[in-house]
């Protein structure tokens, strides 16, 4: 194990130098880092809210709109069911109810039966889509039926909307899991959001203020432009305004589109920045298998007709279907910039909010409290590092010096990787780094003790070095794999600072194994082959 092929020597050296290079901007001021040449890395680690302050928002999930949307959907389902049963009626959604007025009151019993059957037999099985029929029907004089949600269903739907909103907010703010935001439920329908490193809450509100509800709907060609201007559309059709990008290209300012979406953003599995045939920024998207089949069926049946791509109730594009789209993917074009297309792709990947969010409180948290933590952390880290390095040096002499050298490289590697990832460092993250530094020292101690045992067994120095690394390897790998599993579990099920701790711990595990097993072995092997020592002072 003391023989290294040339490619491996070059690779270990390059990785170590790259780690030092990418970590170097963290030792400069922000202004100095920005002034570095473009070919040099200039990213710095962002300090967390507890270290440098940040933005604080308290938002309310407007759950009433969720209930309203469900009632609107149910109203459409009732319309189709009664139409199939040839029961003439009028409907409207008002005051949390779907009010159905029958043209012929004598159809009341039959209409109630049809609505009950539709409510318990349709997909979702209820207004809440929770699989349980939880609607309430009330019969009024003159052939009027009122359909509403039960109280239990409303509470359950509201809780579901809040939990979905929290997950989507988290994906929008922290797609990579490195910013360490604090996002948690506050009360029944509120969400507390704290993001470090943001001085202006408006940046957050810009990301969170869009519902990003994507729908694909057919354009109703039976409605003339004059009727659109007058607001006269048949049942099942509504008028939607075009987005500014659509108007800028000379297309109509309003469209008559079917209320029922043929496909929604829920079937999207990916969205990314792309470019159209004119090399203008656009958004590429891809459906899952179910969405792809549905999209193919719809486009096959509607060749030659336009369909509207609707985002947050605005038509952002209305292309004509020239041929069936069978691949399950497509492109959204418009008057996008690279930034706006990237933002839309991020919103689509994160998913649509089930309800709009209303800002109740916003403020900026100052860095004063964090400054004390940073100063105390720096002093503690310096004292702890110095104590460890002195102890290792006194215990293992020359080999302790090598351990201290690779320990410094390990710290550079951790900072370099975190800087490259754009990670945010908090106090728990610092704890993760300190823990992995301890693990790196521990790995070297294991190796050196194994070498001592081999020397005591009468091995010559080169054989003892070789056997020491070989026999310590399995113990080091086992210890780090179990710790890595714990870090992955923390990242998967944790949130905020806990995930930050998991990220720094996982990064530190890889770098500590690299420096303790690869780099230190390379240095010692190079020294041993050159000096051919007859004894080892270990």
């Amino acid at each position: 194990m003391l023989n290294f092929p040339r490619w491996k020597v070059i690779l270990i050296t390059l990785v170590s130098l790259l780690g030092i290079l990418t970590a170097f901007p963290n030792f400069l001021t922000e202004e100095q880092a920005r002034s570095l040449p473009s070919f040099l890395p200039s990213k710095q680690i962002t300090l967390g809210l507890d270290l440098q302050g940040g933005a604080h928002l308290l938002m309310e999930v407007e759950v009433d709109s969720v209930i309203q949307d469900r009632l609107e959907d149910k109203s459409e389902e009732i319309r189709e069911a009664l139409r199939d049963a040839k029961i003439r009626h009028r409907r409207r959604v008002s005051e949390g109810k779907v009010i159905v007025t029958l043209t012929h009151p004598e159809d009341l019993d039959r209409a109630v039966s049809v609505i009950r059957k539709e409510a318990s037999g349709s997909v979702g099985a209820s207004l809440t889509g929770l699989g349980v029929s939880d609607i309430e029907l009330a019969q009024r004089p003159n052939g009027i039926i009122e359909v509403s949600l039960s109280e239990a269903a409303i509470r359950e739907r509201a809780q579901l909307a809040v939990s979905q909103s929290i997950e989507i907010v988290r994906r929008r703010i922290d797609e990579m899991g490195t910013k360490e935001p604090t996002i948690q439920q506050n009360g029944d329908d509120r969400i507390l959001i704290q993001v470090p490193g943001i001085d202006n809450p408006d940046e957050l509100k810009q990301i969170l203020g869009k519902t990003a509800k994507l729908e694909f709907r057919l354009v109703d060609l039976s409605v003339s432009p004059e009727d659109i201007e007058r607001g006269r559309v048949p049942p099942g059709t509504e008028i939607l305004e075009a987005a500014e990008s659509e108007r800028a290209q000379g297309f109509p300012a309003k469209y008559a589109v079917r209320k029922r979406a043929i496909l929604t953003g829920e079937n999207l599995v990916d969205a990314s920045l792309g470019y159209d045939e004119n090399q203008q920024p656009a958004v590429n998207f891809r459906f899952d298998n179910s969405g792809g089949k549905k999209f193919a069926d719809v486009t096959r049946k509607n060749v030659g007709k336009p369909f509207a791509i609707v985002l947050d109730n605005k038509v952002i594009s209305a292309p004509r279907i020239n041929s069936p789209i069978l691949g399950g993917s497509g492109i959204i074009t418009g008057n996008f910039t690279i930034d706006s297309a990237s933002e839309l792709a991020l919103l689509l990947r994160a998913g649509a909010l089930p309800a709009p969010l209303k800002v109740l409180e916003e403020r900026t948290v100052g860095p004063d409290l964090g400054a004390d933590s940073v100063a105390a952390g720096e002093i503690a880290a310096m004292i702890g590092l110095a104590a460890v390095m002195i102890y290792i040096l006194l215990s293992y002499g020359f080999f302790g010096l090598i351990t201290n050298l690779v320990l410094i490289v390990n710290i550079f590697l951790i900072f370099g990787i975190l800087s490259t990832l754009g990670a945010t460092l908090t106090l728990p993250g610092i704890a993760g780094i300190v823990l992995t530094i301890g693990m790196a020292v521990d790995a070297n101690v294991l190796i050196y003790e194994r070498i001592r045992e081999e020397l005591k067994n009468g091995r010559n120095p080169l054989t003892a070095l070789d056997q020491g690394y070989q026999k310590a390897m399995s113990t080091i790998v086992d210890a780090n794999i179990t710790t890595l599993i714990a870090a992955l579990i923390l990242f998967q099920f944790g949130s905020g600072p806990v995930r930050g701790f998991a990220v720094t711990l996982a990064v530190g595990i890889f770098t500590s194994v690299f420096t303790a097993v690869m780099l230190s072995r390379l240095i010692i092997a190079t020294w041993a082959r050159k000096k051919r020592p007859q004894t080892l002072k270990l």
Side-chain angles (χ1 to χ4, degrees):
M1 294 186 74
L2 295 180
N3 294 319
F4 281 81
R6 184 177 295 276
W7 68 268
K8 193 177 284 187
V9 174
I10 294 173
L11 181 63
I12 294 173
T13 305
L14 284 179
V15 170
S16 301
L17 292 176
L18 189 61
I20 295 173
L21 193 63
T22 52
F24 180 69
N26 291 291
F27 301 94
L28 304 176
T29 63
E30 288 187 17
E31 187 176 347
Q32 289 172 332
R34 282 196 297 270
S35 64
L36 289 173
S38 58
F39 61 88
L40 290 176
S42 58
K43 282 187 175 180
Q44 293 178 303
I45 294 177
T46 303
L47 299 181
L49 193 70
D50 53 350
L51 297 179
Q52 67 159 348
H56 168 106
L57 288 178
L58 182 62
M59 309 191 83
E60 181 181 60
V61 181
E62 297 184 4
V63 293
D64 288 346
S65 68
V66 178
I67 306 303
Q68 183 70 17
D69 287 346
R70 294 298 297 173
L71 287 170
E72 293 285 355
D73 290 343
K74 195 62 187 175
S75 175
E76 283 300 304
E77 293 174 7
I78 291 173
R79 180 184 73 84
E80 293 183 4
L82 294 180
R83 183 192 60 190
D84 293 342
K86 302 187 184 308
I87 300 176
R88 301 184 63 182
H89 68 285
R90 298 190 307 276
R91 289 162 297 100
R92 61 188 172 92
V93 177
S94 177
E95 299 179 352
K97 301 173 184 173
V98 179
I99 301 174
V100 181
T101 304
L102 301 177
T103 305
H104 304 292
E106 59 271 23
D107 291 333
L108 182 62
D109 293 340
R110 198 159 62 93
V112 169
S113 175
V114 169
I115 293 173
R116 285 192 188 280
K117 182 180 178 183
E118 192 279 337
S120 61
S122 61
V123 176
S126 69
L127 286 172
T128 61
L130 300 176
V132 179
S133 181
D134 44 17
I135 61 172
E136 295 177 347
L137 270 66
Q139 300 178 29
R140 306 298 182 200
N142 301 320
I144 295 177
I145 306 171
E146 294 180 350
V147 184
S148 60
L149 283 172
S150 67
E151 287 297 323
I154 292 174
R155 283 197 302 271
E156 196 162 3
R157 185 67 194 176
Q159 180 56 42
L160 185 62
V162 173
S163 59
Q164 286 178 338
S165 298
I166 290 175
E167 183 55 33
I168 291 167
V169 165
R170 188 183 310 284
R171 289 205 294 262
R172 286 188 182 183
I173 294 177
D174 193 21
E175 191 177 28
M176 293 289 292
T178 55
K179 291 185 179 178
E180 298 192 20
T182 298
I183 303 170
Q184 58 190 32
Q185 186 169 348
N186 189 313
D188 292 335
D189 56 359
R190 297 179 179 180
I191 302 175
L192 174 67
I193 303 168
Q194 294 178 331
V195 184
I198 294 182
D199 298 330
N200 188 357
D202 288 340
E203 295 179 23
L204 266 184
K205 290 191 291 184
Q206 188 175 354
I207 293 293
L208 301 178
K210 297 178 181 177
T211 307
K213 184 177 181 182
L214 181 69
E215 296 173 310
F216 296 83
R217 303 196 206 174
L218 289 174
V219 176
D220 190 343
L221 297 176
S222 67
V223 183
S224 66
E226 293 76 17
D227 286 337
I228 292 177
E229 287 302 320
R230 293 171 187 161
R232 295 171 55 186
V233 293
T237 298
E238 64 177 341
I239 297 174
L240 295 182
E241 292 186 355
E244 291 183 5
S245 59
E246 186 79 352
R247 299 180 202 173
Q249 296 181 18
F251 291 101
K254 296 179 181 177
Y255 288 88
V257 299
R258 297 288 186 186
K259 286 184 177 179
R260 170 158 287 191
I262 56 177
L263 215 56
T264 69
E266 293 178 359
N267 294 102
L268 281 180
V269 293
D270 190 27
S272 60
L273 170 67
Y275 295 90
D276 61 16
E277 65 274 11
N278 298 317
Q279 295 305 305
Q280 294 300 311
V283 177
N284 293 324
F285 63 87
R286 182 165 56 87
F287 290 117
D288 56 17
N289 289 334
S290 171
K293 289 178 183 175
K294 198 181 296 181
F295 198 52
D297 290 341
V298 171
T299 54
R300 188 183 294 113
K301 295 175 182 174
N302 294 279
V303 173
K305 298 178 183 176
F307 72 100
I309 302 175
V310 182
L311 182 69
D312 289 346
N313 286 326
K314 285 196 173 181
V315 178
I316 60 174
S317 183
R320 186 173 298 278
I321 303 171
N322 295 320
S323 61
I325 303 174
L326 307 177
S329 61
I331 184 171
I332 302 174
T333 58
N335 193 23
F336 292 119
T337 63
I338 291 179
D339 287 341
S340 62
S342 299
E343 181 181 313
L344 177 57
L346 168 65
L347 295 176
L348 295 179
R349 283 197 302 273
L353 286 168
L357 299 179
K358 178 183 176 184
V359 178
L360 299 179
E361 177 186 327
E362 62 177 84
R363 65 173 186 265
T364 303
V365 179
D368 297 342
L369 293 176
D372 292 339
S373 300
V374 172
E378 286 178 350
I379 293 172
M382 293 300 293
I383 293 175
L385 186 62
V388 169
M389 294 177 79
I390 291 172
Y391 175 79
I392 293 294
L393 189 62
L394 293 176
S395 299
Y396 299 103
F398 173 71
F399 290 88
L401 183 65
I402 295 175
T403 298
N404 290 338
L405 176 64
V406 299
L407 192 61
I408 293 172
V409 175
N410 182 35
I411 295 172
F412 274 104
L413 282 172
I414 293 174
F415 277 77
I417 293 174
L418 294 179
S419 302
T420 304
L421 292 176
T424 300
L425 188 63
T426 61
L427 284 175
I430 293 175
I433 293 175
V434 173
L435 179 59
T436 55
I437 289 174
M439 293 176 64
V441 173
D442 187 51
N444 282 106
V445 170
L446 278 173
I447 294 168
Y448 296 156
E449 290 302 319
R450 282 288 188 180
I451 295 174
R452 276 180 174 172
E453 290 178 7
E454 296 300 322
L455 290 172
K456 286 179 182 176
N457 292 332
R459 305 274 190 183
N460 67 59
L462 291 181
T463 306
L465 287 173
D466 187 68
Q467 291 296 309
Y469 272 101
Q470 282 194 38
K471 292 182 178 179
M473 183 65 74
S474 61
T475 307
I476 295 171
V477 170
D478 289 347
N480 282 279
I481 286 179
T482 52
T483 309
L484 182 62
I485 291 172
L488 293 175
I489 292 173
L490 285 175
F491 183 83
Q492 180 65 33
F493 297 103
S495 63
V498 175
R499 297 188 87 183
F501 174 79
V503 169
T504 54
L505 181 60
V507 169
I509 288 170
F510 285 108
T511 59
S512 64
V513 170
F514 171 78
T515 54
V517 175
M518 303 295 289
L519 182 59
S520 73
R521 188 157 61 92
L522 174 62
I523 295 173
I524 291 175
T526 304
W527 168 80
R529 286 200 305 272
K530 187 175 182 181
K531 296 293 183 180
R532 295 287 173 179
Q534 299 303 310
T535 60
L536 291 178
K537 295 180 180 179
L538 189 63

